[in-house]
Every structure is written in C-alpha cells, then in structure tokens.
C-alpha cells in the first residue's frame, strides 16, 4: 500500500516553541491534505535544559529549578489551549516520569538513562502540538515514534535500522494514514530491547527523512526559522541569500560540513529514495523556500559556504615514520577503537595531522588519557583545539578553471592550518583559527556571491 503524494512535514524547535508558533504550523498542515505524518522537535530550549540535567552534576535545587523552567515553557502552551483538560492527565504523567529520571542517582553515568530523559522534550511537544492541531480542525493523533524508529543501542548517537523501520512503519503506520494525521517525535527511537535511544542533536530532520523513506513519501518538508537554505548561515552575514534550488549532493555536503539547518544525515534517505526535500519558514510559509532535488537546473562552481565549529586537530609524529609500514594503520586503529571518526587528513614525511569533528564537545571524553597514552606508546602526539572548519560547497571544483585561485584570493591573509581540496568535486575546506572564521566566511561570501 502507498499513499499518493504522501508528504512528511517536520517542525523544528522554534516552530513549536509556543502556542502562536504552533498555530502557524497547524495552518501549514491543514493547507496540504498530502501531509499525513508530522514530526516535531522539542519546544525551543527544552532539549538544552534536559542536556544540562543529563550531563552535569547538579544540586537538588538546581535540578528542581531546571525542571521548573521546562514546565514553564510547556505550561505557557497548555494555558492557551481551549480544552487543556484533554491532555492534563497524559502531560502530568510525562512530567512525573521526567522528574523521576532527572533525580535518578545514576543519571550522569548512564547513557541509556540520559537518552530516556532527553526523549521527554519531543514527547511533551508532540502531545501539545497534537492538541493544537485538533483545535484547528485537523483529525490528528499522537504517535510514539519508538514504535517504528528502530535503532542500534549506541545511546546519544544511535544509528537507524532502515529495513526494520520500513517493516514496522508499513505494519503499524501506513494502513492508518488515510484516516488521520499522525504527530510523532523527531530525534528519538528505540533499540531491539525497547530501550529509548536518540539520533544525536538536531536529529529530528533525520527522523523525518527516515519516515519519508519508510513510507514511500514523495516529499519531506523541513519547516524551520529561515526561509530556506542560504548561501551561508544568515547569522554570520546579512548578505546571505536563500537558494531556490539545491541538488541532493550539494545539500548533503552542506549538512555534513556544518549547515545546521539540516542534520548531517538528512539527505541519506532522500538520496536513496529520490524524495524531494523542502526547507522553509513556518512563520513565513508564503515566502517559499528551497527545494532540494536530484538534478538541478544549474550546477554552479560555488553554491554555498558552511562552517563547523569546535574542531579538534591531532598531529602524530615519529621520525621513524618515513619508512615505517603500517604506521597509519596503527594510528587509525586506535582512533576507531575509541569511536572517534576522522574527518580531514594531511600527511608529511614524518607527521600526520587529522581533524576530528566534535559534536557537542564529545571528543574530549573519547580522546581521553587512555587514547592518548596508546598513541604515545609509539609516536609523539599534539592535540590542538580552537579551530573551525570553513567549507566552500559547489560543483566540479577540482576541474573548473580558476576556482581555487578565486577562493585563495579571499583567504590569503589568514593563517590556514589545513587545506583539503581535490578528494571530492563538491567541496574545498579550510581549518582556521576560531577567531578568524567569521571574517573568512564573510570575505569568501563577498568574493563568491556578492
Ligand atoms: P530547527 O530548530 O528548526 O531544526 P535549527 O536551529 O536546527 O532549526 O536550524 C536552523 C538554523 O540553521 C538557522 O536559524 C540558521 O542560523 C542555521 N543555518 C546554518 N547554516 C545555514 C544555511 N546555510 N542556511 C540556512 N540556515 C542555516
Ligand atoms: N530536540 C533535539 C535537539 O534539540 C532534536 C531536534 O531539535 O532536532 O537537538
Ligand atoms: Mg535543527
């Protein structure tokens, strides 16, 4: 069974931050009968509060205070509902379960408990949003994403199990889609034992794309706080402008290299199933947005500039390396064993430098004394942080004449710690000091787009 023209719509944190924002989203859903599955993030600010509860040792009163702040955000919405009593019982039991976990003695030491706690953001917002939709006349039902979004058991960064998600969605979700609109949680899933997992920060975009794939949707809409994907983060420069169209490859590169508007893995399901992805503003839907499609009308050499902050660079050095066979293998085996993933690599005769992406400062924990000692057993190791990665995304960059000259003309005055170019026709990356990255992005933007 398939639903013709099926659309999945995802609404991010600011889009479900309060009652007024939720009402805008409800209108978008009501206007498109093809939207049968709605994925929501936690209300803006809630996940950050939950992360601080999960990762910091706090006093009893600090925990209570943080819980109050979360409740304040959610009650502001409840208080605007016409019939709040419809959900009082469910919301109260969610609050109670969240509180029990927040005070759990082992919380900061157990990743499974952390994920359970983080899941409450989306569970509360989806419950509230279902009610707002009903008030707007939409036949909506709250659906627990954990019934279909099967993942492995890597808490905090769980990997989806595509086949299983497809099987479960076809069984429990698809047959019901003609009847009503389902409102489900982004970001969360469950492993084989039924334990709650999360997909990593910003993971709701990924959830939407995964459900679009599993349900054979024709489109997936990402409704957020910007009117599309821009030439660069509009928070960096006012000169950034929205792009009407992007290719899957370009969007995947942008997401991977730090354009926060899309979770890095969002394009994977879209690519596999040729699902067009729309990005637009839930506050200003009339302004249109960006369509991300397999083939674009044009393939410019420069499409956008992205920045990924807080990169860590590791340099391993040994005078013996010149002839040492297996040196790199030894280094990367240790890195892989500690679940660190290498991003950029440069080599010289006696040294190898590589960068590690550092989502939510997670590298510090894994690049710990144990990892470093294992490396120091056979080489000298220098770890440097305070770097950002700036990437120009485009097409055929390695073969188009003059591309690198133009780019280098605008970054020439800065200290470039590492340059990566040529491995992929879609990007050129620079590792630069964090204090320089804003100026570098602005300068590149002026040269390439203004
Ligand atoms: P949501 O909560 O809706 O998922 P996010 O904050 O995760 O929203 O993503 C939207 C933000 O992404 C924008 O406010 C913008 O600052 C940032 N962003 C970064 N790069 C880009 C880009 N190239 N185009 C548009 N927005 C971008
Ligand atoms: N609520 C989660 C976060 O803040 C997931 C998301 O918003 O996409 O990271
Ligand atoms: Mg996001």
């Amino acid at each position: 069974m398939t639903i013709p023209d099926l659309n999945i719509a995802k609404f991010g944190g600011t889009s479900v931050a309060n009652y007024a924002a939720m009402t805008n989203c409800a209108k978008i859903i009501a206007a498109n009968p093809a939207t049968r599955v709605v994925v929501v993030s936690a209300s803006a600010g809630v996940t950050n509060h939950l992360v601080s509860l999960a990762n910091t040792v706090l006093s009893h009163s600090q925990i209570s205070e943080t819980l109050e702040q979360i409740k304040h955000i959610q009650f502001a919405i409840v208080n605007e509902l016409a019939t709040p009593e419809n959900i009082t019982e469910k919301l109260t039991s969610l609050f109670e379960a969240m509180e029990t976990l927040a005070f759990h003695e082992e919380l900061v030491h157990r990743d499974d408990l952390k994920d359970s706690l983080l899941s409450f953001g989306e569970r509360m917002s989806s419950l509230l949003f279902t009610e707002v939709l009903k008030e707007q006349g939409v036949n909506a039902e709250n659906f627990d994403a954990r019934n279909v979004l099967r993942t492995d058991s890597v808490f905090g960064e769980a990997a989806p199990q595509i086949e299983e998600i497809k099987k479960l969605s076809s069984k429990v979700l698809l047959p019901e889609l003609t009847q009503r609109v389902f409102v489900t949680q982004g970001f969360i899933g469950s492993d084989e034992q039924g334990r709650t997992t999360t997909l990593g920060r910003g993971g709701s975009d990924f959830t939407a794309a995964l459900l679009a794939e599993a349900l054979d949707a024709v489109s997936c809409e990402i409704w957020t706080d910007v009117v599309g994907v821009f030439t660069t983060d509009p928070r960096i420069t006012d000169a950034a402008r929205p792009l009407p169209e992007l290719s899957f490859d370009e969007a995947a590169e942008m997401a991977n290299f730090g354009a926060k508007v899309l979770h890095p893995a969002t394009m994977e399901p879209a690519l596999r199933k040729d699902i067009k992805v729309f990005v637009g503003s839930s506050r200003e839907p009339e302004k249109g947005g960006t369509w991300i499609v397999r083939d674009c009308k044009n393939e410019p050499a420069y499409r956008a500039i992205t920045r990924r902050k807080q990169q860590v660079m590791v340099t391993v050095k040994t005078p013996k390396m010149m002839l040492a066979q297996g040196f790199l293998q030894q280094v990367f085996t240790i890195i892989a064993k500690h679940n660190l993933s290498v991003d950029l690599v440069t080599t010289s005769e006696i040294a190898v430098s590589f960068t590690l992406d550092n989502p939510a400062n997670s590298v510090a924990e894994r690049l710990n004394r144990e990892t470093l000692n294992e490396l120091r057993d056979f080489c000298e190791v220098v770890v440097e942080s305070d770097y950002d990665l700036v990437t120009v995304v485009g097409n055929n960059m390695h073969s188009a004449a003059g591309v690198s000259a133009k780019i280098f003309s605008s970054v020439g005055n800065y200290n470039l710690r590492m340059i990566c170019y040529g491995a992929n026709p879609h990007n050129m990356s620079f590792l630069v000091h964090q204090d320089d990255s804003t100026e570098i992005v602005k300068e590149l933007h002026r040269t390439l787009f203004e």
Side-chain angles (χ1 to χ4, degrees):
M1 177 187 177
T2 52
I3 306 268
D5 303 330
L6 178 63
N7 178 48
I8 313 294
K10 176 259 172 178
F11 296 88
T14 46
S15 303
V16 294
N18 53 52
Y19 184 82
M22 282 188 173
T23 311
N24 291 336
C25 303
K27 287 182 188 146
I28 292 171
I29 294 162
N32 184 1
T35 304
R36 315 303 297 175
V37 177
V38 173
V39 174
V40 294
S41 291
S43 302
V46 170
T47 307
N48 285 349
H49 284 311
L50 292 168
V51 167
S52 81
L53 287 170
N55 290 343
T56 340
V57 179
L58 299 170
S59 67
H60 195 283
S61 67
Q62 285 171 320
I63 297 174
S64 302
E65 225 169 84
T66 309
L67 287 168
E68 277 316 306
Q69 285 166 334
I70 294 173
K71 285 192 200 168
H72 182 78
I73 295 170
Q74 309 291 228
F75 271 124
I77 300 169
V78 176
N79 291 340
E80 300 230 29
L81 292 173
T83 47
E85 57 277 13
N86 290 351
I87 54 161
T88 315
E89 202 180 313
K90 279 193 189 148
L91 196 60
T92 309
S93 72
L94 281 175
F95 281 159
E96 282 171 6
M98 175 173 69
E99 282 185 39
T100 307
L101 262 174
F103 284 108
H104 197 293
E105 276 179 3
E106 290 175 41
L107 175 62
V108 290
H109 308 293
R110 279 185 45 191
D111 292 341
D112 58 335
L113 296 180
K114 289 182 188 187
D115 271 8
S116 292
L117 181 64
L118 294 192
S119 73
F120 282 92
E122 272 70 10
R123 287 158 69 191
M124 293 185 294
S125 64
S126 63
L127 180 67
L128 294 167
F129 187 55
T130 308
E131 205 50 35
V132 173
L133 265 180
K134 284 183 180 165
E135 285 188 8
Q136 296 289 321
V138 177
N139 182 13
E141 185 174 315
N142 196 204
F143 179 83
D144 193 328
R146 294 170 297 177
N147 292 330
V148 295
L149 217 111
R150 178 62 55 77
T151 69
D152 66 11
S153 307
V154 180
F155 298 104
E157 203 76 44
Q161 297 185 340
I162 310 300
E163 283 308 314
E164 205 57 25
I165 295 172
K166 165 106 194 154
K167 217 188 291 169
L168 292 166
S169 306
S170 308
K171 196 165 132 200
V172 294
L173 208 44
L174 200 54
E176 304 291 324
L177 289 186
T178 49
Q179 314 297 319
R180 52 195 150 261
V181 173
F182 283 94
V183 180
T184 195
Q185 309 80 29
F187 180 54
I188 71 172
S190 72
D191 71 2
E192 215 179 332
Q193 287 105 302
R195 294 174 301 178
T196 300
T197 54
T198 63
L199 302 175
R201 292 303 305 266
S204 299
D205 305 325
F206 193 21
T207 303
L210 287 166
L211 291 179
E213 175 180 36
L215 296 165
D216 285 322
V218 300
S219 57
C220 175
E221 298 171 349
I222 306 289
W223 293 98
T224 178
D225 61 355
V226 280
V227 296
V229 180
F230 282 59
T231 44
T232 193
D233 186 344
R235 286 180 212 207
I236 299 180
T237 166
D238 291 341
R241 51 184 166 76
L243 297 159
E245 204 183 44
L246 270 180
S247 71
F248 285 154
D249 288 338
E250 291 167 334
E253 292 293 324
M254 288 184 72
N256 184 38
F257 282 101
K260 188 181 167 231
V261 65
L262 294 170
H263 177 276
T266 313
M267 298 315 300
E268 290 169 12
L271 254 161
R272 281 194 293 265
K273 284 292 201 66
D274 201 0
I275 300 162
K276 49 188 195 234
V277 175
F278 172 84
V279 178
S281 160
S282 64
R283 211 156 43 100
E284 302 173 294
E286 70 287 352
K287 289 205 169 157
T290 303
W291 278 104
I292 306 171
V293 293
R294 187 176 293 282
D295 298 307
C296 275
K297 283 183 210 90
N298 65 340
E299 291 192 337
Y302 317 106
R303 183 67 96 177
I305 304 161
T306 61
R307 171 173 67 178
R308 208 158 63 186
K309 292 178 80 69
Q310 293 183 315
Q311 306 300 289
V312 173
M313 184 168 88
V314 181
T315 302
V316 289
K317 219 176 181 179
T318 163
K320 285 176 277 178
M321 186 195 149
M322 249 183 298
L323 289 172
Q325 277 192 352
F327 175 76
L328 277 180
Q329 191 191 3
Q330 231 178 325
V331 171
F332 290 133
T333 304
I334 294 170
I335 293 297
K337 192 175 98 187
H338 293 275
N339 282 329
L340 289 156
S341 69
V342 170
D343 207 17
L344 306 185
V345 185
T346 56
T347 59
S348 71
E349 273 202 342
I350 59 156
V352 180
S353 294
F354 52 89
T355 64
L356 303 166
D357 188 19
N358 189 15
N361 255 331
S362 58
V363 163
E365 207 179 295
R366 282 174 281 167
L367 193 68
N368 51 20
R369 189 178 303 210
E370 195 188 332
T371 322
L372 292 175
N373 281 347
E374 283 180 40
L375 289 170
R376 287 192 174 122
D377 272 349
F378 64 97
C379 58
E380 211 179 289
V381 186
V382 180
V383 179
E384 296 169 78
S385 40
D386 308 333
Y387 288 112
D388 290 352
L389 188 70
V390 173
T391 302
V392 179
V393 175
N395 295 282
N396 304 315
M397 294 177 76
H398 56 347
S399 53
V403 166
S404 50
K406 198 161 176 188
I407 294 174
F408 280 117
S409 74
S410 51
V411 294
N413 291 331
Y414 296 93
N415 178 18
L416 309 176
R417 194 64 188 79
M418 210 176 196
I419 301 169
C420 227
Y421 178 45
N424 178 327
H426 287 293
N427 66 57
M428 181 164 184
S429 292
F430 305 100
L431 192 71
V432 302
H433 197 272
Q434 62 185 17
D435 295 341
D436 293 335
S437 71
T438 299
E439 277 314 308
I440 290 178
V441 172
K442 284 183 176 171
E443 192 60 52
L444 277 167
H445 198 272
R446 265 193 292 275
T447 310
L448 305 180
F449 299 112
E450 292 168 35

